[in-house]
Amino acid sequence: MSLPETELSSIPMTRQLADQALGFGTPDVPDDVREIGRHCLLDWFSVGLAAWDSPPMQALRAWIALEPSPGPCNLLGSPQRVSASQAALVNGTAGHMLDFDDAHLPSRVHPSAPLWPAILALAQARRLSGAEALAAFAAGVQVQSRLGVVMGNSHYREGWHNTATLGTFGATAAAARLLGMNEEALCRAFGFAATLTGGLRSVFGSPAKPLHAGRAAANGLMAAGLVDQGMQTFDDLLERPRGFVQVYARDFDPSRIQPEAGSWEARRIVFKYHASCYGTQAPIEAALALRDRVARAGCRRVDVHVEPQYMSVCNIARPTSVSEAKFSIAHMVALALAGRDTSNEENLSGSALVDPDVVAWRDRVHVHGDAEVPRANARVTLDDGKDRVTHTHDASQPQADLKQQRRRLLDKSSALLRPRYGERAVARMQERLLDIAQQPSLTDWLHDTVLELDR
């Protein structure tokens, strides 16, 4: 729904969101939420390192080098020290470059990519603890997720990239919490966040998409930092007439800003185990379940039914690059049916794009938008002309067993990083990242974590 300006301005969404970010103490974060935060850190750090030497990351680091800004913060894949805002920009971009990072489906935000880079930069610069960092992560997830619920589907449908737009608010909340700001100050920081943010879905399939995450992280630091240094703006930019909510969403529901009592949005985070857009995850899993049922030579067609929104998000029929392949249901399903490892970035590029076996499968794939298929679900049917076999997969629900989730994420991290850094170095890195809650200061911890990888 949408409201008249006068009624919208009477709902103090900005203040309510600030209260959600600051209204709990560090010890109040439940154990499972802290554990999920550690999982997110491990996953984001690993996929960021895996992307470190990609051509777009080389270009971004070269651009940063044009304006040297020595500071207290580390880049993920280098012992080089830079400013907090540069670290947030580069590390945030790296963490989303492979499009292999975590997701919060109700808000359509990749939560870690804009949050952990801002949190670690500020925590490293100000010698803050790991426990404080985990609490800031929980606060950032809460803010960007609840704002996403308010904005509804129209925000994304109109062409905005939620990780960029809403992620800026999450990073602002996390930074404000680490800076010790009060509610009034955070409301004004949200005002800066509202006018700094942006990011268009029309760049999906190009490196401009991951750049959104880096910019969101850096924008969050800037928004909170400006207020911390005494700069002021309006404190009601969410509900203000022609403010963020009214301008960025055609249909919105301010009544949904408040969560249910005791709920933590971090519990709704899901992870990817295939190196592509989340809209491709369920189709891949369904295809894998059918792979041994019908041989390619006998298969006439493959029908993939997904929620209609994915038809405009990840339905590139004939990808010509790695970035496009990540947004191609047909290509990712073809890779799965051809027996290629869809968690390996190399299988999305170069020869894989024109591999005769993959192309032959891809030519048989027909993707359909189906209003009866729930979000992050897929129904895949293989037809050999005589028989049809079908499998449905639901990728929308978080893993209930956190121990199993940790094991899967450790395996994913090792598969991504072991070829470059070696098994022992990766194991040490994983142990340090998962031990973040015990660290009294993240300043030397992060620097040592980066250095140990190259020993």
Side-chain angles (χ1 to χ4, degrees):
M1 70 178 190
S2 57
L3 299 172
E5 289 184 0
T6 52
E7 189 174 346
L8 175 63
S9 62
S10 69
I11 302 173
M13 285 186 291
T14 311
R15 193 163 299 277
Q16 290 172 354
L17 211 58
D19 178 67
Q20 291 182 43
L22 304 178
F24 62 92
T26 297
D28 299 330
V29 181
D31 289 344
D32 67 314
V33 174
R34 282 198 295 268
E35 178 70 2
I36 291 167
R38 289 192 287 267
H39 292 182
C40 290
L41 173 63
L42 169 67
D43 191 58
W44 165 76
F45 204 99
S46 299
V47 297
L49 277 178
W52 196 251
D53 291 326
S54 64
M57 287 307 304
Q58 291 180 34
L60 179 58
R61 284 154 42 209
W63 179 74
I64 288 290
L66 295 176
E67 297 182 351
S69 181
C73 302
N74 276 103
L75 299 179
L76 288 186
S78 166
Q80 178 185 0
R81 300 271 196 166
V82 297
S83 69
S85 61
Q86 287 184 333
L89 173 64
V90 176
N91 293 340
T93 303
H96 196 43
M97 183 59 66
L98 300 185
D99 221 306
F100 206 1
D101 47 322
D102 55 20
H104 183 276
L105 298 182
S107 66
R108 290 187 169 89
V109 174
H110 293 274
S112 289
L115 292 180
W116 274 120
I119 291 167
L120 291 184
L122 200 52
Q124 191 174 24
R126 297 175 70 90
R127 297 187 174 276
L128 301 174
S129 72
E132 291 172 299
L134 287 168
F137 179 76
V141 173
Q142 199 73 12
V143 163
Q144 61 197 26
S145 301
R146 295 316 303 174
L147 184 54
V149 171
V150 168
M151 303 294 280
N153 292 329
S154 70
H155 179 62
Y156 189 80
R157 195 168 54 239
E158 291 296 309
W160 298 107
H161 181 198
N162 292 26
T163 299
T165 53
L166 310 182
T168 295
F169 285 88
T172 300
R177 188 180 173 95
L178 293 173
L179 289 169
M181 292 167 59
N182 61 26
E183 188 177 288
E184 176 63 28
L186 178 51
C187 287
R188 296 191 184 279
F190 283 152
F192 283 116
T195 200
L196 286 170
T197 194
L200 300 174
R201 279 177 52 207
S202 57
V203 302
F204 282 18
S206 84
K209 180 181 189 277
L211 184 65
H212 288 170
R215 274 262 47 101
N219 283 340
L221 290 183
M222 184 178 186
L226 289 175
V227 175
D228 190 54
Q229 294 299 314
M231 194 171 180
Q232 299 293 305
T233 189
F234 301 113
D235 62 359
D236 61 349
L237 255 292
L238 291 182
E239 62 271 17
R240 193 177 185 83
R242 292 174 295 283
F244 181 80
V245 170
Q246 192 174 58
V247 169
Y248 279 76
R250 181 169 299 182
D251 300 308
F252 48 83
D253 188 353
S255 69
R256 302 188 69 190
I257 195 75
Q258 293 286 19
E260 295 181 8
S263 69
W264 293 80
E265 292 293 339
R267 289 174 173 148
R268 305 170 83 174
I269 292 173
V270 294
F271 295 90
K272 293 182 180 181
Y273 300 101
H274 308 284
S276 51
C277 171
Y278 206 85
T280 69
Q281 303 291 300
I284 293 170
E285 291 288 346
L288 288 172
L290 296 174
R291 186 170 65 193
D292 297 328
R293 303 283 296 276
V294 178
R296 175 170 63 80
C299 185
R300 294 178 57 184
R301 62 183 287 139
V302 179
D303 289 288
V304 181
H305 290 255
V306 294
E307 184 193 9
Q309 67 134 339
Y310 289 127
M311 301 299 288
S312 63
V313 176
C314 47
N315 191 33
I316 297 175
R318 299 289 182 270
T320 59
S321 67
V322 177
S323 295
E324 289 187 350
K326 292 174 180 290
F327 290 87
S328 173
I329 292 173
H331 187 73
M332 297 306 298
V333 165
L335 285 173
L337 292 172
R340 305 300 190 269
D341 180 3
T342 52
S343 68
N344 189 335
E345 177 87 0
E346 293 181 1
N347 287 332
L348 276 67
S349 61
S351 60
L353 292 171
V354 294
D355 182 299
D357 192 25
V358 174
V359 171
W361 272 114
R362 194 176 65 201
D363 287 344
R364 290 165 168 79
V365 176
H366 302 267
V367 184
H368 312 274
D370 188 335
E372 295 185 359
V373 176
R375 184 144 188 258
N377 281 240
R379 184 174 70 254
V380 175
T381 301
L382 273 60
D383 185 348
D384 66 1
K386 297 180 180 179
D387 299 308
R388 293 164 58 88
V389 291
T390 298
H391 187 82
T392 299
H393 185 82
D394 180 358
S396 68
Q397 298 304 309
Q399 174 70 54
D401 185 342
L402 293 184
K403 290 182 180 179
Q404 181 180 355
Q405 179 168 280
R406 177 189 277 224
R407 286 193 296 269
R408 290 194 74 183
L409 291 173
L410 285 169
D411 288 344
K412 173 183 172 181
S413 170
S414 296
L416 284 169
L417 301 179
R418 200 165 41 214
R420 171 171 176 173
Y421 296 105
E423 187 171 351
R424 292 181 62 186
V426 171
R428 288 196 303 267
M429 179 209 76
Q430 293 169 340
E431 183 178 359
R432 290 180 68 89
L433 292 174
L434 291 172
D435 194 45
I436 185 175
Q438 309 307 316
Q439 304 304 314
S441 169
L442 298 187
T443 299
D444 295 329
W445 170 85
L446 183 59
H447 185 65
D448 292 345
T449 300
V450 171
L451 284 179
E452 279 195 2
L453 284 169
D454 290 319
R455 287 179 182 172

